[in-house]
Amino acid sequence: MTDTPDAPRSTGRPARQNVTFDSDGTPAHGYLALPPSGSGPGVIVIQEWWGLTDHIADVTDRLAAEGFVALAPDLYGGNVAHDAQEAFRMMRELPEQRAVELLSGAVGHLLARPEVTSGTVGVVGFCMGGGFVLHLAARDARVSAAVPFYGVIQHEVPDFSGLRAQILGHYGEHDQTIPLPTLDGLRRTIEQQSGIVPDFRLYPADHAFFNDGRPEVYDAQSSRQAWTATLDFLKSTIG
């Protein structure tokens, strides 16, 4: 499953980075936003296939404005796609295991920061990043809240037997990249392997409906509903 092929070109701006952290002995980078109070629960934000764009930085800022210490790791090492073909190539060339290791390093960095008041983190991701939300939550018990927005699992479905996180997922009814029957199968797999019942919610929208930088798919009402539910979920679940 892939993103829609008619996605517009990105701005061409470099990835948004303002923090460096260690990931399994290798330097990694990301975008960090602090809440007005200076401290709060930790949340990881995982990029779409475009890279660490202004939109992902803006989502990170929005979470910080709601009281979270939010970190968006850069999975592409500073690169941002200029069009859908390039984004598809960059996504395909990203090793799944390495990406999850980098994300796990971001979790460790976030929890070690003095501004973070929680002992676990929430994870929010979009499209490719939504798929990585589920991979990370399945492998890292420090994740207590997982929120995939139209999450695309590119390869094998992860083993959810070690899952500890509660899951709230947001999906578009008109999303051709994620057929609705696959959600039913994913829900059953997660419940059978972990005992956790994911809350998958459907909206009368298309793929990438939360991305307000893409007017051809952005759905304001669905976005507001999903965002409000996400904030309530994160605030009640991260501990």
Side-chain angles (χ1 to χ4, degrees), residues 96-141:
E96 181 180 283
Q97 180 63 30
R98 175 55 191 148
V100 176
E101 289 173 355
L102 189 153
L103 293 168
S104 188
V107 171
H109 173 76
L110 199 57
L111 289 174
R113 294 191 66 94
E115 303 95 339
V116 174
T117 58
S118 57
T120 61
V121 302
V123 186
V124 180
F126 305 86
C127 185
M128 177 190 80
F132 279 125
V133 164
L134 296 175
H135 276 286
L136 180 62
R139 303 184 196 185
D140 197 324

Side-chain angles (χ1 to χ4, degrees), residues 45-49 56 59 124-130 149-150 210:
V45 181
I46 309 181
Q47 68 192 53
E48 296 172 299
W49 69 344
I56 295 300
V59 172
V124 180
F126 305 86
C127 185
M128 177 190 80
F149 276 75
Y150 30 87
F210 189 78

Side-chain angles (χ1 to χ4, degrees), residues 3-236:
D3 205 339
T4 49
D6 57 349
R9 291 177 177 271
S10 70
T11 61
R13 296 175 182 173
R16 294 284 294 272
Q17 297 179 350
N18 63 4
V19 66
T20 301
F21 57 92
D22 178 80
S23 176
D24 196 28
T26 302
H29 308 280
Y31 179 78
L32 179 73
L34 300 178
S37 66
S39 63
V43 175
I44 298 290
V45 181
I46 309 181
Q47 68 192 53
E48 296 172 299
W49 69 344
W50 302 106
L52 183 43
T53 60
D54 288 347
H55 169 65
I56 295 300
D58 179 62
V59 172
T60 307
D61 288 337
R62 288 187 233 174
L63 285 165
E66 293 291 338
F68 298 99
V69 178
L71 171 62
D74 185 354
L75 297 180
Y76 287 167
N79 296 312
V80 173
H82 295 81
D83 55 40
Q85 182 177 4
E86 185 178 20
F88 180 73
R89 176 187 60 78
M90 292 166 69
M91 179 180 69
R92 285 297 190 186
E93 292 177 354
L94 176 65
E96 181 180 283
Q97 180 63 30
R98 175 55 191 148
V100 176
E101 289 173 355
L102 189 153
L103 293 168
S104 188
V107 171
H109 173 76
L110 199 57
L111 289 174
R113 294 191 66 94
E115 303 95 339
V116 174
T117 58
S118 57
T120 61
V121 302
V123 186
V124 180
F126 305 86
C127 185
M128 177 190 80
F132 279 125
V133 164
L134 296 175
H135 276 286
L136 180 62
R139 303 184 196 185
D140 197 324
R142 297 172 297 178
V143 176
S144 60
V147 186
F149 276 75
Y150 30 87
V152 174
I153 297 178
Q154 299 175 59
H155 304 294
E156 296 296 322
V157 173
D159 178 0
F160 291 103
S161 58
L163 179 72
R164 297 293 178 269
Q166 298 298 313
I167 300 174
L168 171 64
H170 305 295
Y171 299 86
E173 293 176 343
H174 309 306
D175 187 347
Q176 299 300 311
T177 67
I178 307 174
L180 296 184
T182 66
L183 288 181
D184 294 331
L186 181 60
R187 183 187 292 106
R188 287 193 299 270
T189 297
I190 293 173
E191 183 176 3
Q192 290 169 358
Q193 294 182 353
S194 70
I196 293 172
V197 181
D199 181 1
F200 289 158
R201 302 187 183 184
L202 297 178
Y203 301 83
D206 207 333
H207 190 76
F209 68 82
F210 189 78
N211 191 335
D212 53 8
R214 294 185 54 193
E216 78 281 7
V217 290
Y218 174 63
D219 187 294
Q221 182 175 355
S222 296
S223 293
R224 285 194 298 270
Q225 292 175 351
W227 185 245
T228 298
T230 295
L231 294 176
D232 291 343
F233 176 72
L234 293 174
K235 291 175 181 178
S236 65

